[in-house]
Amino acid sequence: MNILVCVKQVPDTNEVKIDEEKGTLIRDGVPSIINPEDKIALEEAVRLKEKNGGKVTVISMGPPQAKNALLEAYAMGADECILLSDRAFAGSDTWATSYTLAQGIKEAGEFELIFCGRQAIDGDTAQVGPQIAEKLEIPQITYVKGLKVDGKKVKAKRALEDGYSVVETELPVLLTVIDDLNKPRYPSISRVVSAFQKEDCIKVWTVEDFEVDKTKLGLDASPTQVYDTFVPTNEKKGEILEGNKKEKVKKLLEKLKMEQVI
Amino acid sequence: ENKVEKQEISGYEGVWVLAEQRNNKLMDVAFELCSEGRKLADELDTTLSAVVLASNIKEEAKELFAYKADHVYIVEDEELKDYRTETYTSVICDLINEFKPEIVLLGATHNGRDLGPRISARLDTGLTADCTKLAIDKEREILLQTRPAFGGNLMATIICPDHRPQMSTVRPGVMEKAEPDYSRSGEIEEIEVDISDKNIKSHITDSGKIINLKSDLSDIDIYTTIKEIIKEAKGSVNLEEAEIIVSGGRGVGSPENFKLIEELASVLGGEVGASRAVVDEGWIDKAHQVGQTGKTVKPRVYFACGISGAIQHKAGMENSNLIIAINTDEDAPIFEICDYGLVGDLKKTVPMLSKAFKDLE
Ligand SMILES: Cc1cc2nc3c(=O)[nH]c(=O)nc-3n(C[C@H](O)[C@H](O)[C@H](O)COP(=O)(O)OP(=O)(O)OC[C@H]3O[C@@H](n4cnc5c(N)ncnc54)[C@H](O)[C@@H]3O)c2cc1C
Ligand SMILES: Cc1cc2nc3c(=O)[nH]c(=O)nc-3n(C[C@H](O)[C@H](O)[C@H](O)COP(=O)(O)OP(=O)(O)OC[C@H]3O[C@@H](n4cnc5c(N)ncnc54)[C@H](O)[C@@H]3O)c2cc1C
């Protein structure tokens, strides 16, 4: 079984601090991690390989340091990792990102299953998975929280707001996964060591290494543009109620009466 | 130089809302989007249309006029009863290609987030996810789409200047639902047009009519089948529509202490909410979680008890009308966004509040 997983390296947004003066994010010193749901995706792929045999390929688009994420993916059980890295990809929105990844995937081989995380914790759009599926002209199942692969058939539990649906399709298919699906394993130390010895476990491709239409890359080709960014401000400053416990509760009741809540 | 070809964008006009239904009942987010879409359409001096795909929706669809839609397009087919990526993408792309709306809004529900990116990829246009604010740049006549990113740490305003339609998703509960105006839904006359009719636009002249569009679905490659749709009984948690929410966080201390939160909620006739920390601890079901990866809520009153006010939590509740925070730490960030703050131990103050409210009755 030939399986591909899309992995994005992201800043740990829990660690992101804000420069209130400048209204920007302070990204220095913020650790880079594999996007959490992409680890779930990778775990599922590796489990399927362990059960059915086959190969797991990981692909990522990003700057050269995204290699670190791919080393970790290798240590978790990926067989081959491809990093699409070129200045030409900079500033891609999801349309351009999914185009670039889809072209890379076509070059990398024929895959029966393609996994993505539902959403990356930095861009937060949840758009890249479905857009890759559209560009590869294959079906998709999003929000997957349970999965059974049986021969050429896939049966997935797709989370809904108030329950789930059971969706069936035939391979090939693209799945986006959520964290109910599994609990990812820790990277194996021996595989980390062998990754450093096996230099070719991570391939880096520039625009020259796979077929791309150069007018469809990066910032210039992206339909959406970031027009402005700002740090959310706290519009209201709370009134802290003073006094002892009883007085505070009494004051709160008065306020709620005043606001016509009670 | 690699010149990017510019799409021809003149001729795109009007604001569209893709109104989602489940079981042939429109979701609240459809009305919220209509209310918001109306404002955008008025700014642009253009029309607002709602589009519904379903199996039987005629009566239900009339409600959309009360939320200020000028036109309502419906496509009815047994195959369209339940959302499916292939059928919905195909029919909606056909409609957009024929009618050429300049703006398309859809709910950031699980289905909307499955459909939106698929449509935007097929039409080669931009899509902005989870917008919290939409406005029109009058001068350039483009849509300004503001959304949180980096887990709510940063807000970005996104534009899609050279491609049409400009597409946005909006989470349920984020936009204000306007008062319905039932006097608008008076005269409804049905006309039937085939989606592939080249003169489709000329059939549609007067507003206030349900336009029943016919689509031949037999050409669409449908790969997926829906075996079943299961509703999970989660008690009766209905945070999105609750008027009052009492939420507990890690400061509640133990699963047993959640009774204090439940009691206050019940005295006030409200629902129980929670931070992710306590959901992860297993103290309460995920259905109660408020925040970026939980529900977005906008009740009249939100009590945050023992919740620090992490950015991901705030993202789901900061638009509540009145926020009351109870926390032992006077520097807790939740106090920065609350209306009234009570510094103290919730285990003492929450029961006092419950008792005080009970005594009022
Ligand atoms: C503040 C800000 C706001 C933005 N808003 C928008 C917007 O509204 N619309 C828009 O089109 N673009 C937007 N972008 C651009 C967008 O973040 C990038 O295109 C990004 O590369 C992909 O989007 P995402 O991070 O949201 O990924 P998602 O779509 O959330 O990612 C889903 C899954 O796709 C896969 N994936 C995504 N990116 C990669 C990658 N580089 N390599 C391998 N796998 C990947 C992963 O499996 C991931 O889990 C925004 C960027 C910024 C900085
Ligand atoms: C990608 C991502 C998504 C997330 N999504 C969500 C989300 O949807 N919703 C969400 O809530 N979080 C979310 N989080 C987690 C979030 O970052 C915080 O970790 C979480 O909200 C903290 O919950 P808390 O406030 O209950 O706990 P804590 O931060 O531990 O705060 C507990 C508070 O209780 C106070 N306290 C302690 N004892 C008492 C007492 N006796 N009386 C009164 N107060 C007391 C403390 O002073 C403290 O302020 C997300 C995180 C990530 C990375």
Side-chain angles (χ1 to χ4, degrees):
Chain A
M1 180 161 264
N2 229 356
I3 309 174
L4 181 123
V5 185
C6 297
V7 165
K8 185 182 185 190
Q9 188 185 46
V10 295
D12 186 344
T13 51
N14 264 336
E15 305 284 326
V16 173
K17 299 269 173 334
I18 291 163
D19 183 334
E20 305 251 359
E21 299 270 284
K22 292 204 206 107
T24 52
L25 297 184
I26 306 170
R27 295 180 68 170
D28 287 347
V30 176
S32 288
I33 56 172
I34 292 186
N35 182 49
E37 285 173 344
D38 301 358
K39 276 195 176 176
I40 310 274
L42 179 57
E43 174 66 32
E44 200 65 18
V46 173
R47 285 186 195 180
L48 282 167
K49 176 188 79 170
E50 285 166 351
K51 199 167 148 228
N52 305 319
K55 184 177 161 195
V56 174
T57 304
V58 165
I59 196 165
S60 186
M61 180 188 98
Q65 66 263 28
K67 252 187 154 177
N68 294 330
L70 293 182
L71 277 175
E72 190 180 341
Y74 181 83
M76 279 180 68
D79 300 290
E80 185 182 33
C81 303
I82 299 164
L83 176 61
L84 308 178
S85 195
D86 196 304
R87 301 277 295 262
F89 306 147
S92 294
D93 74 351
T94 62
W95 184 89
T97 299
S98 59
Y99 170 73
T100 309
L101 285 168
Q103 292 303 109
I105 292 169
K106 283 183 197 164
E107 184 76 29
E110 298 245 338
F111 299 95
E112 293 156 286
L113 280 166
I114 297 178
F115 283 99
C116 285
R118 171 202 40 168
Q119 180 164 340
I121 60 170
D122 54 349
D124 273 342
T125 66
Q127 290 174 187
V128 170
Q131 292 184 332
I132 292 174
E134 173 64 23
K135 284 170 182 162
L136 296 175
E137 298 181 52
I138 59 173
Q140 71 194 33
I141 306 176
T142 53
Y143 289 88
V144 171
K145 64 172 198 167
L147 184 65
K148 243 200 226 138
V149 182
D150 188 4
K152 285 269 152 213
K153 272 213 160 84
V154 176
K155 208 176 199 183
K157 259 192 186 177
R158 172 171 188 262
L160 290 170
E161 287 83 352
D162 55 355
Y164 62 90
S165 59
V166 178
V167 183
E168 208 173 74
T169 188
E170 284 192 4
L171 301 172
V173 61
L174 182 143
L175 307 158
T176 81
V177 305
I178 59 175
D179 66 4
D180 298 354
L181 184 62
N182 62 42
K183 212 168 144 37
R185 70 193 67 193
Y186 290 103
S188 117
I189 303 292
S190 65
R191 282 189 69 91
V192 175
V193 174
S194 79
F196 281 104
Q197 288 160 348
K198 253 183 84 186
E199 275 175 16
D200 64 343
C201 76
I202 298 174
K203 300 197 178 99
V204 180
W205 290 356
T206 69
V207 285
E208 306 306 332
D209 299 309
F210 63 115
E211 203 184 308
V212 281
D213 175 346
K214 289 182 184 162
T215 68
K216 293 185 172 174
L217 302 177
L219 187 65
D220 284 350
S222 293
T224 66
Q225 296 168 9
V226 179
Y227 175 75
D228 187 20
T229 61
F230 54 95
V231 168
T233 50
N234 301 315
E235 277 146 29
K236 37 186 168 183
K237 188 83 188 150
E239 182 184 340
I240 303 292
L241 306 171
E242 306 289 342
N244 65 28
K245 277 196 294 289
K246 265 209 183 112
E247 286 161 357
K248 284 182 198 162
V249 169
K250 194 161 157 249
K251 277 187 189 161
L252 181 56
L253 284 176
E254 279 162 14
K255 296 290 182 192
L256 292 177
K257 267 186 202 145
M258 200 179 74
E259 305 266 2
Q260 301 189 322
V261 173
I262 47 175
Chain B
E1 259 308 282
N2 303 313
K3 268 267 162 270
V4 176
E5 255 185 68
K6 289 258 151 76
Q7 192 198 26
E8 177 57 49
I9 64 167
S10 65
Y12 282 80
E13 209 197 320
V15 177
W16 271 23
V17 168
L18 305 183
E20 183 177 351
Q21 56 80 21
R22 301 227 178 137
N23 273 323
N24 289 320
K25 257 203 82 62
L26 288 165
M27 295 177 83
D28 247 357
V29 67
F31 303 121
E32 293 161 13
L33 288 177
C34 278
S35 307
E36 186 65 20
R38 182 73 261 167
K39 292 184 215 159
L40 302 175
D42 289 347
E43 286 269 308
L44 288 164
D45 198 15
T46 186
T47 54
L48 172 69
S49 307
V51 178
V52 201
L53 275 51
S55 63
N56 178 4
I57 200 79
K58 250 170 244 143
E59 282 307 308
E60 173 83 6
K62 291 180 186 169
E63 185 88 4
L64 292 161
F65 291 116
Y67 288 91
K68 317 268 184 342
D70 297 310
H71 302 293
V72 175
Y73 301 124
I74 62 173
V75 186
E76 289 185 335
D77 195 300
E78 214 28 59
E79 288 283 356
L80 298 173
K81 178 169 168 285
D82 296 320
Y83 169 75
R84 246 188 309 175
T85 314
E86 301 92 352
T87 47
Y88 273 57
T89 305
S90 179
V91 171
I92 291 168
C93 285
D94 281 352
L95 286 171
I96 291 175
N97 283 330
E98 290 297 333
F99 283 94
K100 301 198 183 327
E102 64 201 290
I103 292 173
V104 173
L105 309 179
L106 60 166
T109 60
H110 290 202
N111 291 345
R113 291 171 115 221
D114 186 282
L115 173 66
R118 195 93 196 196
I119 297 175
S120 67
R122 190 165 300 180
L123 298 175
D124 289 324
T125 190
L127 173 63
T128 304
D130 293 353
C131 298
T132 53
K133 194 174 156 214
L134 296 170
I136 301 291
D137 176 336
K138 278 278 211 187
E139 208 169 300
R140 298 172 69 188
E141 295 207 324
I142 56 169
L143 183 62
L144 304 175
Q145 311 161 83
T146 301
R147 64 176 299 255
F150 290 90
N153 285 293
L154 187 74
M155 301 297 290
T157 303
I158 310 281
I159 54 173
C160 175
D162 303 319
H163 296 74
R164 291 293 177 273
Q166 305 163 83
M167 293 181 60
S168 338
T169 69
V170 179
R171 278 193 176 203
V174 167
M175 297 299 176
E176 196 96 39
K177 193 160 91 172
E179 277 302 312
D181 174 1
Y182 289 100
S183 69
R184 295 185 88 253
S185 54
E187 37 170 322
I188 290 150
E189 176 190 321
E190 257 180 68
I191 52 176
E192 280 196 15
V193 196
D194 198 291
I195 291 185
S196 56
D197 185 333
K198 286 289 163 242
N199 293 316
I200 197 163
K201 268 181 149 171
S202 65
H203 294 287
I204 290 127
T205 46
D206 301 335
S207 55
K209 290 179 181 162
I210 290 189
I211 297 123
N212 197 350
L213 297 164
K214 289 274 164 259
S215 178
D216 183 5
L217 301 179
S218 63
D219 282 348
I220 303 170
D221 290 323
I222 304 175
Y223 316 96
T224 51
T225 39
I226 305 203
K227 289 287 169 194
E228 50 186 344
I229 297 178
I230 311 284
K231 282 212 178 186
E232 278 170 323
K234 281 187 178 153
S236 57
V237 210
N238 193 352
L239 290 175
E240 282 100 334
E241 278 161 34
E243 292 260 311
I244 294 178
I245 294 175
V246 185
S247 282
R250 210 195 306 271
V252 171
S254 69
E256 293 74 42
N257 284 346
F258 242 90
K259 278 204 293 287
L260 306 177
I261 305 294
E262 282 158 14
E263 155 112 80
L264 180 56
S266 124
V267 172
L268 292 168
E271 295 274 2
V272 174
S275 72
R276 169 148 150 194
V278 299
V279 171
D280 287 349
E281 292 283 349
W283 297 356
I284 193 165
D285 191 83
K286 167 112 194 190
H288 293 271
Q289 184 181 318
V290 172
Q292 189 201 335
T293 45
K295 306 225 162 99
T296 306
V297 300
K298 209 164 60 184
R300 227 146 56 82
V301 196
Y302 187 93
F303 287 86
C305 312
I307 291 177
S308 60
I311 193 114
Q312 296 91 351
H313 189 80
K314 287 197 280 196
M317 46 66 75
E318 64 196 341
N319 290 328
S320 306
N321 264 332
L322 191 73
I323 297 172
I324 294 155
I326 303 175
N327 199 303
T328 41
D329 174 9
E330 61 182 334
D331 294 324
I334 193 74
F335 286 129
E336 287 164 18
I337 60 153
C338 73
D339 296 275
Y340 299 111
L342 218 152
V343 180
D345 185 352
L346 71 91
K347 291 193 276 296
K348 307 239 165 60
T349 44
V350 169
M352 283 167 78
L353 277 170
S354 298
K355 182 166 182 310
F357 287 125
K358 243 189 240 158
D359 291 345
L360 285 175
E361 283 168 7

